[in-house]
Amino acid sequence: MKIYTNDDVSADSLKGERVAIVGYGSQGRAHAQNLRDSGVDVIVGVRTGGAGYEKAKHDGLPTAEIKDAVKDATIIAILTPDMSHAEIYTNDIAPYAAKGASILFAHGFSVLYGRVDARADLDVILVAPKGPGDLVRREYQRGRGVPSLFAVDRDVTGKAAQRALGYARGIGGTVGGVIETTFKEETETDLFGEQAVLCGGTTELVMMGFETLVDAGYRPEIAYFEVLHELKLIVDLLYEGGFAKMHSFVSETCKYGDLVSGPRIINEETRERMQEVLNDIQSGDFARDWILENMAGRPRYNALMRQDLDHPIEHTGRDLRSRMSWLQEKNNG
């Protein structure tokens, strides 16, 4: 497997190119600042007077309405939320983008599921850092970089891969290492990871563990520490060194419990449910459901979110976290 680094991608890959960053949220802000600091010609497409506009001006970046920002751009990075892509592309990009520009995404959802069907004269590329925007910016400022993925869905100009890799270098990705993928692979694995493990799987596991202990008569504060608070310690060990580092830092009793009880909780039935989730993603059922949910005003989404945020573990956690001075310093810093 080829991993692209600074040795493979010239610092001048985007010389003469202009990048329009559409949207100035977490990823947009990080990408725009990193590209600018890498010497790339950048303009931010935002609504004048909006929150993104104010932030971009504060950060010293040139701004314009989206339709004006994209006119002279050779790379147009759409970094707004997925559900906004179709409207923004149709109204503010398609009528104004220059012939031979590259439309760039940080996630392949809109292309894979047909939300954006780019003009035939435009390249379609992807650069996806494997981390949130604040991490992408912070690691760049430290002279490091977050590993990234890149993909070329359509190469009209013959420059699509060069532009994608140049963009990845500009945001620091080639310091962390860049791997080639496809829109399909990036999108389906990303959605599966979020739903089955990183967010959906983890939060449900934590809540069920909390409920099991509280229902058995243990105090909620003790249950919170055991199933949520200490989770960060384990995740940090896994992140830093995989299973081996985790096993080297936890007790022998913990290790034995891990080995004999883990498969009782996460078992073949869990694997079957995970396969169902993956099937829904691969078939497009999840995407259709999410698109229709947005069109209906998100009634189910809002109800489920309220249910999640009103769970007793949230009330217990807010009180306990308010007493953790290091978290207050971080949140206020």
Side-chain angles (χ1 to χ4, degrees):
M1 179 184 65
K2 173 70 174 177
I3 299 179
Y4 294 84
T5 68
N6 283 350
D7 292 336
D8 304 298
V9 184
S10 169
D12 295 327
S13 293
L14 297 186
K15 186 176 181 180
E17 309 268 16
R18 165 169 267 212
V19 178
I21 300 292
V22 177
Y24 205 67
S26 173
Q27 289 289 345
R29 190 177 192 184
H31 290 208
Q33 291 185 88
N34 289 6
L35 288 165
R36 175 200 57 195
D37 294 349
S38 294
V40 177
D41 180 13
V42 178
I43 186 167
V44 179
V46 284
R47 180 174 54 83
T48 301
Y53 170 86
E54 297 298 337
K55 288 180 180 178
K57 285 295 186 185
H58 177 269
D59 294 336
L61 285 153
T63 66
E65 295 290 334
I66 296 173
K67 64 181 181 179
D68 296 318
V70 306
K71 286 179 179 177
D72 298 321
T74 54
I75 299 173
I76 301 167
I78 305 178
L79 300 177
T80 56
D82 291 332
M83 290 300 111
S84 68
H85 289 183
E87 182 178 358
I88 288 173
Y89 175 77
T90 300
N91 296 335
D92 298 310
I93 296 176
Y96 306 101
K99 183 178 180 180
S102 296
I103 304 295
L104 182 147
F105 297 85
H107 178 43
F109 187 101
S110 293
V111 173
L112 183 63
Y113 298 118
R115 298 284 289 165
V116 173
D117 183 13
R119 274 177 14 208
D121 62 290
L122 302 174
D123 295 338
V124 180
I125 59 179
L126 175 144
V127 176
K130 301 314 293 176
D134 64 332
L135 182 66
V136 172
R137 178 60 177 163
R138 189 166 65 247
E139 289 301 290
Y140 178 93
Q141 291 175 309
R142 293 172 175 171
R144 303 187 303 219
V146 173
S148 302
L149 305 177
F150 89 97
V152 174
D153 187 67
R154 184 200 297 163
D155 183 6
V156 177
T157 65
K159 300 178 181 177
Q162 176 183 324
R163 285 173 171 173
L165 286 168
Y167 186 101
R169 172 161 182 151
I171 64 172
T174 48
V175 179
V178 179
I179 298 172
E180 185 170 10
T181 183
T182 64
F183 273 67
K184 178 178 172 64
E185 182 178 58
E186 185 278 332
T187 303
E188 292 179 350
T189 57
D190 185 79
L191 292 174
F192 176 80
E194 290 170 349
Q195 295 174 33
V197 180
L198 305 178
C199 298
T202 297
T203 54
E204 289 300 317
L205 187 66
V206 167
M207 283 197 289
M208 196 164 291
F210 178 85
E211 291 169 359
T212 300
L213 287 175
V214 172
D215 289 348
Y218 299 102
R219 284 173 291 168
E221 293 80 7
I222 304 301
Y224 176 88
F225 281 128
E226 295 304 328
V227 302
L228 192 154
H229 177 79
E230 293 191 31
L231 181 63
K232 181 184 186 308
L233 309 177
I234 300 302
V235 170
D236 283 350
L237 292 171
L238 290 169
Y239 177 80
E240 292 164 7
F243 294 162
K245 184 163 185 176
M246 183 201 74
H247 284 308
S248 70
F249 276 82
V250 301
S251 70
E252 293 297 312
T253 303
C254 178
K255 281 186 271 195
Y256 182 67
D258 167 0
L259 297 171
V260 300
S261 297
R264 297 171 64 192
I265 305 299
I266 308 300
N267 53 28
E268 285 305 312
E269 183 178 353
T270 311
R271 191 191 304 275
E272 291 174 9
R273 301 292 85 76
M274 284 186 170
Q275 186 62 54
E276 290 175 3
V277 169
L278 183 57
N279 291 344
D280 284 346
I281 293 167
Q282 292 173 326
S283 68
D285 285 349
F286 169 77
R288 283 188 288 272
D289 181 56
W290 177 223
I291 291 166
L292 290 172
E293 179 70 15
N294 277 270
M295 293 172 64
R298 300 187 180 186
R300 183 185 181 207
Y301 170 95
N302 291 330
L304 291 172
M305 182 63 72
R306 285 193 299 271
Q307 180 179 311
D308 236 26
L309 298 182
D310 199 41
H311 191 278
I313 197 171
E314 278 291 277
H315 300 290
T316 302
R318 276 194 292 271
D319 180 56
L320 290 175
R321 290 191 297 270
S322 71
R323 304 168 190 273
M324 301 176 189
S325 59
W326 64 94
L327 291 181
Q328 304 313 308
E329 291 170 3
K330 180 178 180 180
N331 292 336
N332 294 330

